[in-house]
Amino acid sequence: DKLVDGQAAGELLSFIAKNPNADANTLAIMDGIAEAVNPQYVQRSATLAEAIDDFLALLRAKKTKARSYNEACYHLQAVKEWLGFMDVAEIDETTVKETYKRVACLDVAHNTKNKRWQFFKRLVRFLFEEGKLNLPRNLSSRIYSFKQQIKAIKTYPLPIVTT
């Protein structure tokens, strides 16, 4: 039987998923065939926890300011706890929706929710740019956003400023 590109890639993905203990050569050959048949094929990858560690290592190598790096570590730690076991290639629209729901249910300020959500989106875009997943279509959806709370500007009375 002749399979069209998408079917062949699907069959190969199915084989890889059903045979996680296949030797490395077999998996490498199957990945190569799948990529040749379907250029949109995403190779098997590591867990999200490992991908988060890679992302943070890149931020550290980039000489990101300590505060920004620490914020990224803090906010992505929650994502690692929620989804760390997941294979990177499994991140899809449903994962985005479920992660948004989890962030929305947190008992923290809206600005903190927004920051955590932005770090998750940044991580997913990084993984897409690295070729480890297909970008979920709803990642940039306006419905998945948090309204920023505007803080009042601190003002000082004139006598305090002039002294």
Side-chain angles (χ1 to χ4, degrees), residues 62-117:
K62 189 177 157 188
K63 305 255 190 251
T64 304
K65 290 183 181 178
R67 181 176 170 143
S68 298
Y69 176 78
N70 288 338
E71 279 185 332
C73 287
Y74 174 75
H75 291 295
L76 290 175
Q77 185 61 38
V79 175
K80 193 187 270 191
E81 290 170 9
W82 297 338
L83 306 170
F85 61 89
M86 174 182 248
D87 185 32
V88 171
E90 293 176 7
I91 295 175
D92 60 3
E93 289 80 6
T94 305
T95 309
V96 170
K97 181 172 69 174
E98 294 303 319
T99 304
Y100 177 82
K101 286 181 189 176
R102 284 187 108 153
V103 171
C105 291
L106 293 174
D107 190 25
V108 295
H110 280 284
N111 290 350
T112 304
K113 291 178 186 181
N114 184 55
K115 190 165 277 200
R116 185 160 292 173
W117 180 243

Side-chain angles (χ1 to χ4, degrees), residues 5-138:
D5 292 351
Q7 289 175 323
E11 292 296 320
L12 292 171
L13 282 172
S14 177
F15 171 81
I16 291 170
K18 290 176 186 172
N19 299 296
N21 296 327
D23 66 19
N25 288 338
T26 302
L27 293 177
I29 291 168
M30 298 304 281
D31 278 340
I33 294 170
E35 193 169 4
V37 170
N38 182 2
Q40 297 299 319
Y41 170 72
V42 176
Q43 291 185 351
R44 291 179 343 103
S45 55
T47 64
L48 188 58
E50 293 168 347
I52 289 172
D53 291 340
D54 290 345
F55 179 65
L56 292 173
L58 181 67
L59 288 180
R60 178 55 98 194
K62 189 177 157 188
K63 305 255 190 251
T64 304
K65 290 183 181 178
R67 181 176 170 143
S68 298
Y69 176 78
N70 288 338
E71 279 185 332
C73 287
Y74 174 75
H75 291 295
L76 290 175
Q77 185 61 38
V79 175
K80 193 187 270 191
E81 290 170 9
W82 297 338
L83 306 170
F85 61 89
M86 174 182 248
D87 185 32
V88 171
E90 293 176 7
I91 295 175
D92 60 3
E93 289 80 6
T94 305
T95 309
V96 170
K97 181 172 69 174
E98 294 303 319
T99 304
Y100 177 82
K101 286 181 189 176
R102 284 187 108 153
V103 171
C105 291
L106 293 174
D107 190 25
V108 295
H110 280 284
N111 290 350
T112 304
K113 291 178 186 181
N114 184 55
K115 190 165 277 200
R116 185 160 292 173
W117 180 243
Q118 293 303 324
F119 275 115
F120 173 75
K121 287 172 52 173
R122 191 171 159 192
L123 172 68
V124 172
R125 283 198 180 93
F126 165 77
L127 295 171
F128 168 70
E129 290 167 359
E130 292 290 310
K132 296 186 179 186
L133 58 80
N134 291 323
L135 190 65
R137 291 181 298 239
N138 62 351

